[in-house]
Amino acid sequence: MSWGLLISTMGFSATAARRFDIGMWCGIPHEYLSQARMDQIGAAGFSLSATPCNEPNNITYNQRALQFANKTGFH
């Protein structure tokens, strides 16, 4: 089975097949998380956000990051 057949079998359109997400290896550190920083990253072409590396993950950070990401148009 070729990839073309697999893609058409899965129902992707030609437009959707050309679009892909760009994410970051490490997310915004806790002290720099803001709407302005998230907008800056979105303007640079990123479409996915991640949690920061080498920092503990917590609910407060995740909720703030999700709010900012939704306003920026991240996934």
Side-chain angles (χ1 to χ4, degrees), residues 6 18-19 21 23 27 30 33-34 37 40-41 44 47-48 56 66 69 72 75:
L6 178 61
R18 283 182 258 161
R19 184 182 179 278
D21 289 314
H30 290 233
L33 180 64
S34 68
R37 179 62 68 186
Q40 184 181 39
I41 291 169
S47 56
L48 297 171
L66 285 170
T72 303
H75 301 197

Side-chain angles (χ1 to χ4, degrees), residues 28 33-43 49 65 68-69 72 74:
I28 303 166
L33 180 64
S34 68
Q35 186 63 58
R37 179 62 68 186
M38 194 70 77
D39 290 342
Q40 184 181 39
I41 291 169
S49 182
F68 299 149
T72 303
F74 281 25

